[in-house]
Structures are given as C-alpha cells and as structure tokens.
Amino acid sequence: MEFGILGPIEARRADGGPFPIGGPQVRALLAVLALDAGRVVGRERLIDDLYGAEPPGDVGHALQSQMSRLRRALRNAVGDREFVESAGAGYRLAVDPDAVDALRFARLAEQGRKALRDRDSGAAMTLLDEALGLWRGPALADVRDAPFAESRAARLDEARLAAEEDRAEAALAVGESQAVVATLSELVAAHPLRERARALLMRAMYSAGRQAEALESFEVGRRLLADELGADPSAELMDAHLAILRADGGSAVSNRRLPTPLTSFVGREDELARLVPLVARARLVTLIGPGGTGKTRLALAAGSRVRGDVCFVELAPLVDGVQAAQAIASALGGRDLSAHSAPGPSDSESQLVAMLADRPLLLILDNCEHVVLDIARLAHRLLVACPSLRILATSREALRVTGETLFPVPQLPMASTDSVLADQLAAPAVRLFADRAAAVRPGFLPDAGTIAVVARICRRLDGLPLAIELAAARLRTLDLPEIDARLTDRFRLLARGDRTAEPRHQTLQAVVAWSWELLDPAEQQLAQDFSVFAGGATTEQARRVCDIDDIDDLLADLTDKSLLDIAAGRYRMLETIREFARTRAIESGEHKKTQRAHAEYFADIAETADPLLRTATQLQHLARLATDHDNLQSALHWSATADPALAARLIAAQAWYWWLTGHSGDGPALANRLLSELSRPGSPVAVDAEQYAVVVAVAARGRDDLSAEVERAAARVAAQEYPMRRPHLIFLLALAGGMLPGEPAELRRLFGADDWSQAFLRLGDGMGLFMSGRVDESEPEFAVALAGFRRIGDRWAIAATLDKLAAVAERRGDRAASLALIDEAIAVNTELGWAADTADLLTRRGDIHLGGVAERDTDAARADYQRAAELSRTHGAIDMYAGALRGLGDIARAEDPAAARNLYRSVLEIPAGGSIAITEAHERARVGLALLGDA
C-alpha cells in the first residue's frame, strides 16, 4: 500500500487504485502517521497535531475513535493486515518510508542534490524528475486546516522549490538553457524573492543568448529585495550578475578544443535536445549512421552545450589505429608521447591514462569507423582507468564496448506531401535546403509554388544533410527543376563540394566511397547484389535473389556498418548508397544476372498473389504486394526492355492489384511500350491470349485510339478453347471499352468451375438483364452472385454486387432497402481501403437522399457529396470527383444558382478521357445548366 501526502491525502492499493479513508480528521490522522512512517508517534503529539490548543473534553476517546476509523478503512481495503500498530504510548504506521510519497520525495531529492554536488548532472536530473513527479498538488491539500498542517506543508513546499532549483541547475549544466528559462521564469514569477532561482534564471538567459534580459532580471530582483525586505542581493545573485557582466555566464568550461562550424546548425534540434542530457548521463555514447548524415556536426553542437572540459579529436587522417592515443594527446595539448618513451601503443596509452586519470572531460572521437577495433580497445581502457572521463564517438558502426549507448542519427525527416504548407516548410530537410540555398541565391525561400520540387529533391536524396547541402549549392547556377531532373546522375551533379573539407566530404561520391572501401569483398558483393532491391527486402527475399553464402551474417554486417537499415524485418538501402552499389555491380558484369533473378522472383510473387486477391485473404495479399510495390515496379521496368515476355507476365499478374488499389505506377506506360513490341508483325515475343489481353486492357485505360486493339484482344480470348485462368479479365476489358464477342451461352464455356468464376458469371448475367430493362429478373442473379462472393470472401466483389442490388431496389422505389445495401457496400469498401469506389458509392447515396420529394434529405446528401469529393480529390480519382461536384451542383441549384453554375462548369472542365463516369457527370451537369436557363 502507498500513501499520498503531496496533494490531497490518499491511500492506494498495490495496483495503484485509491480508496476512501474517511472524513477530514481521519485523513489528518493518516497524514501525521505517514509523515513519520515506521516510527512511533506519541499520543500527546497526536493530540497536539490534530486538536491544537483547544482539544475536546474527552480527547483520549476522540483520538481512539478516529484511530479505529482509520484502522477499519485500511483493513477493509486490503484484507486482514493491520497497518496501524499500537506501540507503548503511541501508534506507528507499519510501512516502509518509501511507501509515503513525501518521504520518498525527500530521499530522492537529497540523492539528486548529492549527484549535483558530484557533478553528475544527468543522474541528478533523473532523480529529481522522479522526485518532482510525485507531487499531485499542494502538500496536505485537503487537511490544511489541521493544527499541524500549516508548518509541515510550508516545509514540504520549500523542499519542492529547492528541488525545482536543483533540477534547473542540473539541466543548465547539460546545456538545456531554453527549457530552464521557461521553467525558472514561472518559478520566479510565483516567488520573486527567491534569490537562487533568480540567479539560475539569469545564467540560463545568458546561456540562451539573452544577456539583456538576464541583467534586467537582476535589476528587478535587486529593487524587490530593497523595497520589500530592505536587503541587498545575496552573494549568489551578485556572483551571477558579475559573471554576466564579465561575459562568462558562470560557465564551468575551461578547455574547449572544438572546431567552429562556418554554417548555422539546422535540422537536428530534436536530436540535440535528446543527446545533450544523454551525454551528461552516459560515459560512452556513439553516434552511428551512414556517411553524410551529419554525425560530426551533431557531436560538435552537443559538445558546445555541455559544461566542463571538452576535447575534439579528428580520427579520419589516421592511417593506423595505434596512432589514436597520440592523436588524442596532441588534441589535448600534450607532448608527442612517442618522443619520450619506447615505441609501442601501450606506452602511449599509459601516458594518456595518466593525463586523463583525474580529469573531468568529454572526449569527442570523430570518424572511428576505419580504426574501430583499436578505438574500441582504447576507449574501454580509458573509461575503466579514468572515472571522470566521458566519450562521445561518431562512427558508421558501433564500437561494441560494454556500457556503450548507441544514438542512431537518422536522415532528416520530411512532412508528407498531403500535409499543410506550414508543416512542409518546417520539415528539417526543407529548412536545411532553404538555409544553404539562401547562401548562394540570396532571398531564396521555398513557398507554395516551389515546395513540391524542394521536398522531392530532399526526399530523393534520402534526407542526407550533406547531399542536401551539395544540392542546394547548385542553385547558384541551376534552377530547382534542373537539379531535380539531374538527380538521376546524382554523383556527377553533387561533385562540387567545399575544397577545404576533408576529401571524403567534398563530394557525395567520396562520402559513399569512404564507407565502401571499409567493406570486405564479401560485404561489397552482397551490397552490389542487394542494390537490385528498389523497396528493400526480407532476409528470405535476399537469400532467394542474391546467390551468396552466409547471407544472414553479411546482412547483419552491412547493417552494423550503416550500409543497410532494418525495420519491421525488412532491410533497406538508402537510394544514394544503392546507386553507388548498383554502379559497382554493373561494372562487375554481374548485375544482369541478379536483375533477372530479381524480376523472376517478383513475377512469381505476383502470380502467386493474383488469384488470392479474390479470396477472403485478399487484404493480407494486398498488403504484401503493397510492401513490394517498388520492387515489382523495378522488375517491370527492367523486363520491359530486357525480357518482354517476362514483362507481360508481370503486368498480367499485377493488373487486378492495380485495379483494386489504384496504384499502377508506371504500369500503363510500360504496358503501352510493351504493346508496341507485342503487336509488331514478326515479333519473336510469344505470350498467350489472356496475357496479351491484359496488357492491352492496361494500356488502353484513358486511350480512345486502342479500341480496335481491345476488340482484337477480346476476340483472341473468346477463341480459346479452355476456360479462362483470369476470369476478371472480362471486367478489365470492359473497362477498356471492349466486350468478348459471341453469344452469352457460347461464352459460358470460358468460365471455370471455381466459385469466383461462377459467381462472377451470375453477376454478369444479372448486369445483362438489368441493362436490358429486365430489372426484376436481374435481382435473383445478383442474389446468387452475392451469396457466392460472401462464401469466397472477396470484399470488392461483395461491394460491387451490393451496389447492383441497391440499384434494383432504387429502381422499384424501395428507398430504405437501397440505402441499407449501399451502407453495407460502403462499409465493405472502407475495409478494403478503396477510396475511389467508396467515393462513387457516397455519390450514389447522395443521389438517393436527394431523389425523393417526400423523403428528401438535403443535409445527408450534401454530407455524402462533400465526403466523396474529399476522398476522390485526395486519392486522385478524378472521375469520381466529377460526380461529387455534379451532386453538389444539384443541391446548389435550389439554394444558390450562381454557385450551382460554377460547380456545373467545373465538372465540364474535367476532360472525359474515355471515362464513362466523367461522361455521365458531363451530361448531368449540362442538364443542370439547362434547368437553370443556360444553353
């Protein structure tokens, strides 16, 4: 059980749940006992604390009565255990003092204060955060009228304020000056005469670059002390004032050997806020990440914000790790150790240990990756022998030293493309690009007209700070679209870096090459092979495509060396590294073999998933194909040129996935390219009739000039003697404007015996009857189809059939049944995640709401049209957007004719492009304009 004093008095069970204790006197009694938990409190003191100078006549009986109530309340809460024990002339609360928040607070606050005295600011912050987190409000909040409470509450409140000051001092020591200013400003405003708080606030303001405000705060404090207390400022306040006047801010820094950056620090503020306290707490922190992520810059920024001695050591020039001890000693200003001792690393290290043995220091070791084994061994020795030493390392792989804390430095984040403009402009990658671009093109600032290109450039450069800076520098001679276009050859484009920088940081090529040269031959081979994956890969996928032994270990090695990232079981390679590795693979002559293995593997994946997209497991397989979308697109791009027959397989296997998701990517364009080859007289590429028909159907979407080719493809399918392996092909051909020639009875032989084919056949029969005006006869066909699709679990087919049944119900005037069927179809489509169909159904539902005269629901119709417009616009379904605008025009026609005209004209401005839905929206918009009197 735990007891709360720091706020309203409460008792909590072990599960954290509070329970009622009793009235004010019972709670006051518990508070008195809890503040001395584990110790006996005499009866006389209890009477004084509870009743003061005027106790009741029978005070002994009154005390006993309250004690009985308290015991009963505690016993009822937890069972038979007795928490209040009688002991001689008093009573004792038999619990560990840590079970009382006020006593635990006192212990933690004292430990935090001791850590602060020992200059362990990180530990102090952790302890004080825990201590202050125990407070729930003013101490003894609901028993302050009790005689004992005022003085005890005042002592607790004072202890809380002191702890807040200690916490602020610890935070200031690790460089969190901005946060300290905010915290202490509130504290000083509430307690303007607290001189320690004001002195800390002045130091924090100075550290945050607000010297004038710091001096003004001193003057305010000095006047208050004189006016209210008739006193002069304390020595602590005067010292802070004098330190600011001397421009040293009270800093404890005495030896800062840090390079001074020549450009502003942009984009890593969040990482810096987490890193500075971590460096103060942990003895070895390693910043890891691929080249160009800005590890060095982040380490320098962190070093500039911590208190105490800081020394920066650049390890990149070292040829051998045995030189590390001498490099560190030289950076510290020491003598050449090798000149005063026998040769050998152990002697140099021993002397370095002597230099650092009792010296509090943060040692920044930059670029450890090429000497990582020697640095790891040296760091371990120094940390063991030098208790006041802390190390901040930067490396492309971990040092793997006991106690090491890894701090991954990720790529700079981007806002999503559908975020508001302010969020896109505030994204760290965009801010860095803008800052560096303004240096070479004064006045440059991304805006609504350029943010899309800037964001695309940053995204294509993987959010790598160095690459972004190099790209921004090219604005001196190139425009944004030119930079974007030339990123296909990024290493040539970004080959003009700082001439004074380390060679490995002068160009993007050099950054990646530095990491590449640190790989052994087997790691380089896997990196080359892995570059074939456009969207990352699982271990199994890499094993199937890359013909390499020990691939599991090699994947782990490349991840450790920041050549690969891993998340959710998938390895990914940054596009910049991937392009470098792919170039090496092409040069080696092995890339074609790996590319073919990749394309064939993903063709198998797509062909396996295709029939399952029409089953109850379709969501699972849609997600699988979405995960591998980039790989599938890459395989299609390669095979469209290298192996047209394989490209036809990939298109045929993905066409239904593209239809269900709307994510066809470059599929239609590549299908058109492939169609030119397949339809060429004498073409050696052989594909079956169905594959050819799918290619034609995909290529013909949005094109009117392929109608003859669609008809020829449909005729080839109709002529085959065996059932279709792809029964959904009929639907795809219909979308492209083609139908299978022949009598329906004759064509039935093309449908297989499987449940989906049979259900789709009944759906087709129903549509034929419905379109010919035999609505009543169509309903049984639709019902049988729906039952079949429900058994199979194909959500798309279920929703499509529900839509047809809704049309039947609407045609016979059953508005309620029609709405119910469309509601179910919308729910199924929402689960499927298909925005286009959902938008279409919402427009249909809006039409039904608006159609009836007696039952018209204009508000419901408007909500449906607006939601349909929002969905279709967001997902690029322009055909459905036209229908939604038309519906909004129909509503406005009765309310605001001018707005209706604008909406109808907006519909007519949308090009039909062969879309039946847009053509219908055009026709209905013209009817609406005619009803408004417009020709």
Side-chain angles (χ1 to χ4, degrees), residues 505-832:
H505 271 166
Q506 288 184 5
T507 69
L508 189 61
Q509 175 100 10
V511 169
V512 184
W514 169 268
S515 295
W516 187 264
E517 295 305 321
L518 298 178
L519 303 178
D520 63 34
E523 291 168 340
Q524 289 181 350
Q525 182 62 55
L526 177 56
Q528 289 176 184
D529 287 358
F530 195 90
S531 69
V532 76
F533 291 103
T538 64
T539 302
E540 177 60 23
Q541 288 174 334
R543 187 180 294 117
R544 294 282 298 274
V545 172
C546 306
D547 185 18
I548 293 178
D549 295 331
D550 302 322
I551 196 167
D552 295 48
D553 292 339
L554 289 171
L555 286 169
D557 291 341
L558 289 177
T559 304
D560 289 344
K561 295 181 179 181
S562 300
L563 271 294
L564 293 177
D565 290 332
I566 183 170
R570 289 184 71 85
Y571 292 93
R572 291 184 180 274
M573 184 177 278
L574 294 182
E575 191 59 32
T576 297
I577 297 172
R578 179 171 171 254
E579 184 171 323
F580 184 96
R582 185 168 57 242
T583 301
R584 295 297 179 274
I586 293 171
E587 291 171 353
S588 73
E590 295 291 320
H591 190 60
K592 289 184 179 178
K593 175 184 174 183
T594 310
Q595 187 72 68
R596 175 169 294 281
H598 174 271
E600 290 179 345
Y601 172 78
F602 281 101
D604 289 342
I605 290 290
E607 287 176 335
T608 300
D610 178 48
L612 299 173
L613 295 178
R614 294 178 289 280
T615 69
T617 61
Q618 66 185 174
L619 294 182
Q620 172 188 338
H621 294 285
L622 282 170
R624 170 74 184 276
L625 292 176
T627 299
D628 281 319
H629 177 80
D630 290 342
N631 279 314
L632 289 161
Q633 289 280 304
S634 175
L636 181 55
H637 269 276
W638 177 83
S639 58
T641 300
D643 189 341
L646 181 57
R649 282 180 58 196
L650 279 159
I651 291 174
Q654 293 182 82
W656 194 242
Y657 159 68
W658 293 339
W659 164 250
L660 289 177
T661 63
H663 298 153
S664 57
D666 293 332
L670 293 171
N672 273 282
R673 185 199 303 177
L674 183 61
L675 184 58
S676 299
E677 171 62 27
L678 297 181
S679 59
R680 180 172 57 85
S683 172
V685 183
V687 296
D688 65 39
E690 290 185 35
Q691 286 179 337
Y692 181 79
V694 175
V695 172
V696 171
V698 172
R701 292 296 305 276
R703 288 185 58 179
D704 296 328
D705 59 323
L706 288 179
S707 56
E709 196 61 43
V710 172
E711 291 177 4
R712 281 193 291 271
R716 285 182 60 183
V717 173
Q720 69 184 28
E721 297 179 356
Y722 47 83
M724 289 181 294
R725 296 187 301 277
R726 303 172 183 87
H728 57 286
L729 173 57
I730 294 179
F731 184 78
L732 295 176
L733 285 169
L735 290 173
M739 298 293 291
L740 296 185
E743 293 298 323
E746 177 186 344
L747 294 176
R748 297 178 79 86
R749 63 182 173 75
L750 293 173
F751 286 89
D754 62 283
D755 290 345
W756 197 93
S757 295
Q758 289 300 307
F760 190 78
L761 176 63
R762 301 301 288 269
L763 175 62
D765 290 344
M767 291 177 63
L769 292 167
F770 185 88
M771 297 297 291
S772 65
R774 298 156 66 184
V775 177
D776 291 340
E777 295 177 52
S778 71
E779 187 170 18
E781 298 297 327
F782 290 144
V784 172
L786 179 61
F789 289 135
R790 286 193 194 279
R791 284 194 304 272
I792 299 164
D794 181 347
R795 294 163 182 80
W796 172 83
I798 291 170
T801 311
L802 287 167
D803 184 25
K804 301 302 178 290
L805 283 167
V808 171
E810 185 182 4
R811 185 72 66 89
R812 67 166 178 259
D814 192 343
R815 182 173 180 273
S818 181
L819 287 173
L821 288 162
I822 287 187
D823 287 346
E824 185 183 354
I826 289 173
V828 173
N829 254 332
T830 301
E831 183 183 4
L832 184 60

Side-chain angles (χ1 to χ4, degrees), residues 284-300:
L284 173 60
V285 177
T286 303
L287 306 182
I288 59 170
T293 52
K295 300 183 293 297
T296 300
R297 189 59 183 276
L298 181 58
L300 287 171

